Amino acid sequence: MRLSARPIAALVAALALTAGLSITGTPAVARPDDRPAAAEASDVSLAADTYTWKNARIDGGGFVPGIVFNRSEKNLAYARTDIGGAYRWDQAGKRWTPLLDWVDWDRWGWSGVVSLASDTAEPDNVYAAVGTYTNSWDPTNGAVLRSSDRGASWKAATLPFKLGGNMPGRGMGERLAVDPNKNSVLYLGAPSGNGLWRSTDSGVTWSEVTAFPNPGNYAQDPSDTSGYGNDNQGIVWVTFDERSGSAGSTTQDIYVGVADKENTVYRSTDGGSTWSRIAGQPTGYLAHKGVLDSSTGHLYLTLSDTGGPYDGAKGQIWRYDTESGAWTDVSPVAEADTYYGFSGISVDRQKPGTLMATAYSSWWPDTQIFRSTDSGATWTQAWDYSSYPNRSNRYTLDVSSVPWLSWGANPTPPETAPKLGWMTESLEIDPFDSDRMMYGTGATVYGTEDLTSWDSGGPFTITPMVRGLEETAVNDLASPPSGAPLLSALGDIGGFRHTDLDAVPAMMFTSPNLDSTTSLDFAEASPGTVVRVGNADAAPHIGFSTDNGANWFQGSEPSGVTGGGTVAAAADGSGFVWSPEGAGVHHTTGYGTSWTASTGIPAGATVESDRKNPKKFYGFSAGTFYVSTDGGATFTAKATGLPAEGNVRFKALPGTEGDIWLAGGASTGAYGLWRSTDSGASFTRFSGVEQADSVGFGKAASGASYQTVFVSAKIGGVRGIFRSTDAGAGWTRINDDAHQWAWTGAAITGDPRVYGRVYVSTNGRGIQVGESSDTDGPGTDPDPGTDPGTDPGEPPADADCSVTYTVTNRWSGGFQAEVRITNTGATAYDGWKLGWTFPGDQRIGQIWNASHQQTGAKVTVTDAGWNGKVAPGSSAAFGFTGTTTGDGTAPGAFTLGGENCAVG
């Protein structure tokens, strides 16, 4: 059982691969320092309809390689994920708040977080080193993001190399560190031979520390030619000895971990000017982490024979006395008895000499956690054998809040369900509370609030501390007309039947358990009939349900199947067509007791069913559309000239035979949205849609003659989630710049029972659920180029407001501005909308602390929710970057709610 955000596989052909509730507090948006990419002109309506967003709740679902507590402010903590962004702990709600949902399509790699650093001197400051892959899979370089408001808004310093939040070795660290004595100084350990980097201006600019002698040399698999396994894992952690400096002066003693088995620890004693290998250090291992207990002067190293996070067969723990220079092996078990490496380590800042460590790569029978109260001289462990195979646990594990963590398993002892964890690369004791500890696993964040019971022999309780952190990668979605509102196909944890979007499902799909579900479908006229396929180490790769996904039974499969591929159910549930990996397209009647090869369609084709005619199935491969009218037995090539590159997804309209929408392509060829009304014999492209990647349908708007269409697309130069209520004649963007979730191209579907509701796949931020503020909807969405504003009618009256508009930066073709609205009246605002008309051709690109609509020169900016209430005499502010061919002249007039504001 392996749960993780693994390297790109099926999705690498499109962009690259790889989850939570509504954002509370300040939404996070980027503010890059460098000139942003020019925004393309757009007259697409951003609509009067406002959407709210939340996750379909799962809680966790992916690898959490890093947890960081601030050491000067209680309850301030952050978590990083390998593909799903970063989070801040909300103590009041006992949940995590997402911080990187603003990451956009073009910079999707910035959703992978390789390291986090929280500033001890100024706790409002937080830094994130972002980038998902160091090879060609990620098209953009890495960056160091910096925030002065705890991740509510960000500025970016783009690096001259890539970072790898989802690369081998991603559990080591932290690679990013702030000098605790002089917080304008930061260090970053880089991969790929790029060495050690330093900033002396609080992360604004970075330069290589050329005096550092060793960029690392360890790669997971030197024979790999993809740039993934053979990448040099580089500089893996930085630790300061805070005792060697004073407030305002640079810390002198700095320790750095290097991915080099013979030279894994270096030190500077002169503030980073010179560096040397520490003599006497252990060799033959990589130091995953280095943590210094300033109370005792001990530096602890957790070591493994590999970089992790999956592998590791041997390990040790060593202690370095920074005063005497003595090295001591303080491993909790003899090296010969390890079959795992060590990684997670933390010292109790309230109790000098108390520390904990994890055996991160102990997959079977469970992970192990060790604890010492005497600086590593002796250890106890979370569980022992009473008499093999029976276990005696020091803890109780209560997963009632996230019951699927048991995987529905009933293993043979000594294995247990649920497990204590796996891939436990990060464990942190709260620096203010010796009773609280959190650790990340391949599926969740576990924690306890009675940790010191460990030392008295009594059991301590471990529970999931993961609410709000949603990290699933979504492969497919389906919303049947009856039964559960949503069925999901997920990477690593299979998928769920979501009967309540705001509750954690009791269990993932079982019988069979699939590592990743790649495709699922239901019979349109018989929604109780559901089929799913996916990846597994061995057969079966397919399951069927006759009760809308509540219960499942395993199906047989054709010879040669190696992966899930895609699957389609006949409209009445009488048969299925399956295009698995490793075998050609096959069809069956009944529930797959036997399969027959289909003819006329190539292996690997994507398959779907007509949603009315049970004998009709469709297929697509390499630019050609295929149709079967005999239940999938034979296919005939029909339309050609469709996208031959990239990922292509298509759906047939429920209730209408032969109405098909197709989205996909690549920037090097055809890319967009097409529709067929003759069962695929011909397709017509939507000229206003520049790019599209997924398409789905939902309940029609009141008075509309066609079901609502949803797409993840680029329309009018804007990337986003769009809705049409008039069969594609007009489009409305329904997300905003604070809700972009990086890559959203895998799947999208509306809800056939709730107008406006849409389910959006992400690659690491779970299932996003959008709800329209208009429960019935307009008859049609506005055409591109129309202004959805109000009738000007009579001239507006004066409002109780004053506006200050300041251009804070200019560059060739662009500018940055800040706007402040002051309430000059006697009554508080309860939400606000500020309007103006730009002189010339100015257009807003990115905006933070608000959302906006722009039609031509007319702009409407709406509060971000958290800043909507403005008391008399108080102000609300937002900022944005824009493009222009002119000088960026400020607007001369502003309106609030349609009424004039004074200009300050």
Side-chain angles (χ1 to χ4, degrees):
M1 184 164 53
R2 298 178 63 185
L3 180 67
S4 65
R6 296 177 182 170
I8 303 178
L11 296 184
V12 73
L15 286 171
L17 176 71
T18 52
L21 301 143
S22 302
I23 292 179
T24 57
T26 309
V29 293
R31 300 177 63 180
D33 296 324
D34 300 330
R35 174 184 172 183
E40 298 178 46
S42 171
D43 286 326
V44 175
S45 168
L46 298 189
D49 188 6
T50 300
Y51 266 66
T52 58
W53 295 93
K54 65 180 180 182
N55 276 101
R57 193 173 167 197
I58 294 170
D59 284 17
F63 180 33
V64 181
I67 298 169
V68 175
F69 279 91
N70 185 279
R71 288 178 54 192
S72 63
E73 181 173 321
K74 189 175 182 179
N75 294 322
L76 180 57
Y78 297 89
R80 64 178 171 95
T81 69
D82 49 5
I83 62 170
Y87 294 80
R88 183 184 63 246
W89 179 250
D90 171 18
Q91 177 64 18
K94 295 292 184 73
R95 55 183 287 172
W96 297 95
T97 299
L99 302 177
L100 299 183
D101 283 356
W102 55 266
V103 173
D104 57 27
W105 180 278
D106 291 333
R107 292 175 296 189
W108 60 264
W110 287 10
S111 61
V113 184
V114 73
S115 192
L116 277 173
S118 182
D119 188 342
T120 299
E122 295 184 67
D124 284 347
N125 296 339
V126 62
Y127 301 86
V130 296
T132 300
Y133 298 101
T134 60
N135 62 2
S136 61
W137 297 345
D138 191 335
T140 55
N141 280 354
V144 176
L145 307 179
R146 65 187 188 279
S147 173
S148 58
D149 52 15
R150 305 179 185 224
S153 61
W154 298 87
K155 295 181 180 181
T158 303
L159 299 167
F161 50 82
K162 296 181 179 183
L163 295 176
N166 199 33
M167 293 292 289
R170 59 191 179 273
M172 295 193 282
E174 293 291 322
R175 298 172 186 256
L176 183 63
V178 183
D179 189 322
N181 291 302
K182 189 171 184 179
N183 66 340
S184 59
V185 176
L186 292 89
Y187 282 86
L188 171 67
S192 312
N194 289 304
L196 182 66
W197 287 66
R198 176 170 52 209
S199 172
T200 59
D201 55 8
S202 301
V204 177
T205 61
W206 292 82
S207 59
E208 185 175 3
V209 180
T210 56
F212 193 81
N214 187 352
N217 59 19
Y218 174 80
Q220 180 190 69
D221 180 7
S223 66
D224 180 17
T225 59
S226 70
Y228 184 78
N230 59 332
D231 184 56
N232 175 6
Q233 294 181 17
I235 312 298
V236 297
W237 53 263
V238 179
T239 295
F240 293 91
D241 187 344
E242 60 203 64
R243 303 170 302 167
S244 63
S246 57
S249 65
T250 302
T251 300
Q252 296 300 294
D253 293 354
I254 310 167
Y255 297 85
V256 171
V258 180
D260 178 345
K261 290 188 177 183
E262 301 306 310
N263 310 280
T264 196
V265 189
Y266 287 78
R267 177 176 59 184
S268 174
T269 58
D270 54 11
S273 296
T274 62
W275 301 84
S276 61
R277 177 188 186 275
I278 303 180
Q281 66 182 264
T283 59
Y285 287 99
L286 303 175
H288 274 224
K289 297 185 188 297
V291 174
L292 197 143
D293 186 343
S294 58
S295 296
T296 62
H298 291 152
L299 173 71
Y300 295 95
L301 306 183
T302 44
L303 300 119
S304 176
D305 58 345
T306 68
Y310 314 117
D311 51 6
K314 290 294 177 184
Q316 295 180 338
I317 301 177
W318 282 72
R319 183 183 71 211
Y320 177 66
D321 188 323
T322 59
E323 299 299 325
S324 68
W327 286 96
T328 305
D329 183 347
V330 294
S331 303
V333 296
E335 177 191 41
D337 294 333
T338 62
Y339 54 92
Y340 46 76
F342 296 97
S343 183
I345 188 165
S346 182
V347 298
D348 188 336
R349 304 292 175 180
Q350 301 295 316
K351 296 184 175 183
T354 294
L355 65 151
M356 298 179 70
T358 66
Y360 78 94
S361 54
S362 178
W363 290 89
W364 188 92
D366 206 343
T367 200
Q368 185 60 276
I369 300 175
F370 302 92
R371 181 173 171 88
S372 173
T373 57
D374 53 12
S375 299
T378 62
W379 298 81
T380 52
Q381 51 195 49
W383 59 270
D384 295 278
Y385 289 113
S386 52
S387 60
Y388 187 87
N390 298 316
R391 283 169 50 168
S392 173
N393 298 334
R394 289 181 179 269
Y395 63 90
T396 59
L397 181 54
D398 178 4
V399 299
S400 57
S401 63
V402 190
W404 60 262
L405 284 167
S406 73
W407 252 257
N410 186 25
T412 301
E415 197 170 11
T416 64
K419 284 190 173 185
L420 190 58
W422 56 92
M423 295 166 60
T424 50
E425 291 258 27
S426 181
L427 178 149
E428 296 295 330
I429 302 170
D430 187 333
F432 293 91
D433 185 354
S434 297
D435 268 319
R436 182 160 69 171
M437 174 267 289
M438 295 182 185
Y439 66 97
T441 79
T444 192
V445 175
Y446 277 134
T448 182
E449 294 184 331
D450 59 353
L451 178 60
T452 56
S453 295
W454 179 312
D455 301 324
S456 60
F460 63 98
T461 301
I462 295 175
T463 60
M465 291 185 175
V466 73
R467 183 170 183 176
L469 195 157
E470 299 282 351
E471 202 200 344
T472 48
V474 185
N475 295 327
D476 202 2
L477 297 168
S479 183
S482 61
L486 181 66
L487 306 172
S488 62
L490 306 178
D492 293 329
I493 60 172
F496 295 91
R497 182 176 189 258
H498 304 264
T499 57
D500 182 344
L501 301 174
D502 296 314
V504 177
M507 191 55 56
M508 70 273 288
F509 298 139
T510 58
S511 299
N513 285 76
L514 299 174
D515 293 343
S516 292
T517 300
T518 57
S519 176
L520 59 78
D521 195 16
F522 64 90
E524 190 68 41
S526 181
T529 300
V530 187
V531 61
R532 61 185 167 94
V533 295
N535 301 330
D537 292 336
H541 295 85
I542 187 167
F544 296 94
S545 173
T546 58
D547 58 5
N548 193 241
N551 297 281
W552 295 84
F553 55 93
Q554 300 175 357
S556 65
E557 59 187 51
S559 176
V561 171
T562 59
T566 57
V567 71
D572 61 357
S574 59
F576 304 88
V577 172
W578 185 14
S579 178
E581 293 179 19
V585 178
H586 284 69
H587 67 100
T588 187
T589 55
Y591 294 102
T593 55
S594 63
W595 294 87
T596 303
S598 303
T599 61
I601 186 170
T606 301
V607 295
E608 295 282 356
S609 64
D610 190 86
R611 309 311 285 181
K612 186 173 184 180
N613 184 340
K615 292 296 185 181
K616 189 172 286 188
F617 288 84
Y618 305 112
F620 177 86
S621 179
T624 299
F625 201 81
Y626 298 84
V627 180
S628 172
T629 58
D630 55 8
T634 60
F635 282 82
T636 302
K638 294 292 185 178
T640 59
L642 296 167
E645 301 176 85
N647 280 352
V648 175
R649 294 164 175 82
F650 64 94
K651 292 289 183 183
L653 186 74
T656 302
E657 183 175 350
D659 192 341
I660 305 156
W661 293 61
L662 182 146
S667 57
T668 54
Y671 198 177
L673 182 67
W674 288 258
R675 182 185 176 194
S676 172
T677 57
D678 56 10
S679 298
S682 63
F683 280 84
T684 301
R685 181 172 180 172
F686 287 86
S687 60
V689 181
E690 295 126 271
Q691 300 175 1
D693 292 88
S694 57
V695 60
F697 308 101
K699 183 179 180 180
S702 177
S705 59
Y706 199 84
Q707 293 178 42
T708 301
V709 183
F710 296 96
V711 291
S712 174
K714 184 177 184 180
I715 302 176
V718 177
R719 254 288 170 188
I721 306 302
F722 292 86
R723 181 197 68 199
S724 176
T725 57
D726 52 11
W731 295 96
T732 294
R733 186 187 181 203
I734 57 174
N735 70 320
D736 55 54
D737 287 353
H739 300 86
Q740 300 191 78
W741 318 292
W743 194 73
T744 56
I748 191 170
T749 185
D751 191 309
R753 290 170 273 185
V754 181
Y755 168 73
R757 179 184 289 172
V758 62
Y759 306 104
V760 179
S761 70
T762 74
N763 189 49
R765 272 289 287 124
I767 305 163
Q768 298 294 331
V769 182
E771 302 277 11
S772 171
S773 62
D774 186 343
T775 56
D776 294 318
T780 60
D781 280 311
D783 291 331
T786 62
D787 182 359
T790 57
D791 181 351
E794 298 179 3
D798 291 334
D800 294 325
C801 57
S802 175
V803 176
T804 301
Y805 182 104
T806 305
V807 176
T808 59
N809 194 12
R810 299 181 191 272
W811 55 86
S812 177
F815 64 99
Q816 181 172 315
E818 292 188 358
V819 183
R820 180 171 297 275
I821 309 165
T822 300
N823 184 346
T824 59
T827 304
Y829 302 158
D830 188 7
W832 49 265
K833 286 189 177 183
L834 185 72
W836 71 79
T837 299
F838 269 131
D841 62 353
Q842 300 177 62
R843 297 200 64 81
I844 291 178
Q846 286 189 316
I847 192 168
W848 49 94
N849 298 336
S851 60
H852 79 288
Q853 305 170 22
Q854 182 168 357
T855 303
K858 295 182 179 180
V859 176
T860 301
V861 176
T862 305
D863 67 84
W866 60 271
N867 60 357
K869 292 184 181 298
V870 183
S874 298
S875 300
F878 60 90
F880 63 87
T881 57
T883 61
T884 181
T885 59
D887 58 4
T889 303
F894 298 87
T895 61
L896 190 71
E899 298 181 347
N900 291 323
C901 281
V903 179

